[in-house]
Structure formats: C-alpha cells, structure tokens
Amino acid sequence: MTSSSSAEREVLPIPDRPYDGPVFEDAKDPAAKFPPIEPLRPPADAPNVLIMLLDDAGFGWSSAFGGPCQMPTFERLAGGGLKFNRFHTTALCSPTQAALLSGRNHHTVGMGGVTELATSAPGYSSIWPNTCAPLAETLKLNGYATAQFGKCHEVPVWETSPLGPFDPWPTGGGGFEYFYGFLGVETNQYYPALYEGTMAVEQGKTPQKGYHFTEDMTDRTIEETCDVGVDTASPVSDDYTPDNSRFTGSIKWVQIDIGEAAEDVDRLITPEERFKIAITRQ
C-alpha cells in the first residue's frame, strides 16, 4: 500500500512502490525486516464531503438561496459549507445527477435525457464512457470511504436487472463502495424496490407499522456514517500500535425528498463530524 503522507496523487490509482531491498533466504534472519503496510488515506486535513441533491426543487425555493420556503437547517449547513449558485440545471433527474457526479456536461457522460428515453444518438445513450471517471471514484482512489443513498437514475434501463451487468451501478463502476437505494425514475415510498449494493432487500416492517423510505434512507445514512467514522484498520507491522484514529475523509451522496428534507437533514450530521456541505438543486 501507499502512505497517505508521501503518496504521489497525480496518477490514479496511486502506483505501488516496488520493493528494491535485499532478498532474504531465511525468514528467521534477524535482518529480515520490511517496512509496514500503510493503508491509503486521504491527504492530511482532507474534508468530509456530504452532497445532498433535492429532487424537483426550484433554484428560488429554499431560503438558503433567497427563496420563500424557510429552511433554517439548510441555511445553517450552507453557512458552514459551500453553495453552488452557477450550477447549470438540466431540469431532469438523470442529466442533473450525472453532471453533479461527474463534474462534466451531461451529454459528455451520455446523459442527454433520462435513462428511460435513451437512444443510440451521441450523448443520449445513458452509457457512462470509460474516459470519464466519476468524482466518487477519484475520491475513493485517494483513500476516501464512499457511499450513495437514495435515488440512482444513471443506470441504463436494460442493465437494471438483479442479474446485472453491474458496471454502471453505484458499487460497480460508479465509485461508491456502498449503496442503499433504488434504481430508475421512481419507486413506491411505502413499498420501495431497494438494493443494498447489488442485492435486492426487503423491509422488516410494513407502512402500517410506520415504514417510509425517507426515514429508512436517513437512518441508514446515519448508521453508515457512524460506522465508517472510526478507523479500525491495523497495518501489518511488528511495531505498529493501533490508535483508533478517525478517517480524515468520507463522501456521501444523499438524495432526499424536498417535503421532508428540512426536518430530516439535522439527523444526517452527528456532533462528532464536521462536514463541508455542498448544496445544489435540480
């Protein structure tokens, strides 16, 4: 592995360092010692990243952007993070998400329209080209822990089968190590068709017992954020002492319903975490 402090990050994946030391014939030789395996970590002081996309929300809706809908939680988050006020909306789900996840024009990543209306025309195939790396993949290759929650509308319709192929799925080629949500344009909020990674999951309770997808997704986001918060990895070394230090970075992509966002978003941030928040709108 490559240490986070001395890694050359101009090329991804970060190249491994070849061993150029002596070769020992006997493992019991007192001189047969090697440098410890150092797990890849983000650069020093790398921020945590939480991106929240509000589906079908106009630019002027939220008070965080001067709109009439009072959203004090978003105002507080935006005040401590970043607000993108020149994001060129594409007015549709798939193109907006693809542009935000790639940092590129939506046609460049094959998402000129929603996946259900894909054609073979250039820029409208819904197929993400291999020449465009997702931002989450770039972060992951720099040592970030990555996860996506909620709606994923970037998978070609003919590849949404539980049998795959999974290359365009969030945990396939999308750069996310963990995914909990649904594929496609919509799902039933009370009986959602959900996946964890690439495995279909069923809910443990019915709507009559209080189930709703927004609450489920929010709870899962909190759980995964807390789980990834503590670094328990122990590199192999004779003189290594685990210090339970925290990860220096993680990325979360959360798509939440505008109607319940204000009351739920507070629960996404634990007191122990300090996030740089990037708030945008579709």
Side-chain angles (χ1 to χ4, degrees):
M1 300 295 289
T2 308
S3 79
S4 57
S5 59
S6 59
E8 297 294 334
R9 302 175 185 269
E10 287 76 15
V11 177
L12 296 175
I14 296 174
D16 292 325
R17 293 180 178 176
Y19 176 71
D20 58 359
V23 177
F24 299 92
E25 296 181 356
D26 188 350
K28 298 180 180 180
D29 189 328
K33 293 186 177 181
F34 308 94
I37 298 174
E38 300 180 5
L40 176 63
R41 293 291 181 263
D45 301 322
N48 291 315
V49 181
L50 172 65
I51 300 177
M52 295 181 295
L53 175 63
L54 303 183
D55 212 357
D56 301 323
F59 180 80
W61 282 22
S62 170
S63 56
F65 290 92
C69 298
Q70 297 303 309
M71 304 179 73
T73 300
F74 279 168
E75 290 184 44
R76 177 176 60 82
L77 293 175
L82 302 174
K83 287 196 297 185
F84 297 140
N85 57 15
R86 293 194 63 186
F87 182 78
H88 296 270
T89 179
T90 62
L92 291 169
C93 304
S94 302
T96 298
Q97 294 178 27
L100 190 59
L101 287 170
S102 67
R104 300 170 182 262
N105 180 278
H106 52 297
H107 294 91
T108 304
V109 289
M111 212 67 70
V114 294
T115 56
E116 289 78 8
L117 300 179
T119 73
S120 59
Y124 289 84
S125 66
S126 77
I127 299 175
W128 194 298
N130 293 330
T131 54
C132 300
L135 296 178
E137 180 71 13
T138 299
L139 289 170
K140 183 176 72 173
L141 292 176
N142 273 285
Y144 273 72
T146 60
Q148 176 175 346
F149 302 87
K151 176 180 177 180
C152 174
H153 202 183
E154 297 83 59
V155 180
V157 174
W158 59 91
E159 295 188 350
T160 57
S161 163
L163 297 179
F166 300 115
D167 293 342
W169 289 44
T171 54
F176 292 99
E177 297 169 308
Y178 182 83
F179 171 65
Y180 184 77
F182 65 95
L183 305 178
V185 63
E186 61 188 0
T187 194
N188 189 311
Q189 296 295 299
Y190 297 97
Y191 297 97
L194 297 181
Y195 288 91
E196 184 172 19
T198 59
M199 299 294 294
V201 296
E202 295 184 4
Q203 299 311 309
K205 62 181 180 179
T206 64
Q208 290 75 17
K209 295 183 179 180
Y211 180 82
H212 191 270
F213 175 58
T214 298
E215 182 177 353
D216 178 28
M217 177 187 61
T218 303
D219 290 340
R220 186 62 64 96
T221 304
I222 295 172
E223 292 172 4
E224 294 300 321
T225 300
C226 293
D227 287 345
V228 81
V230 177
D231 179 5
T232 58
S234 300
V236 179
S237 172
D238 293 337
D239 56 359
Y240 178 77
T241 301
D243 59 3
N244 290 325
S245 60
R246 300 181 68 81
F247 279 122
T248 57
S250 62
I251 178 171
K252 304 295 179 186
W253 163 273
V254 184
Q255 178 149 339
I256 48 185
D257 183 85
I258 184 67
E260 304 192 25
E263 61 184 66
D264 280 338
V265 72
D266 257 334
R267 304 167 55 209
L268 295 175
I269 310 300
T270 61
E272 294 80 10
E273 293 285 356
R274 294 184 60 195
F275 287 91
K276 293 295 184 181
I277 307 299
I279 298 179
T280 184
R281 78 283 174 266
Q282 178 175 321

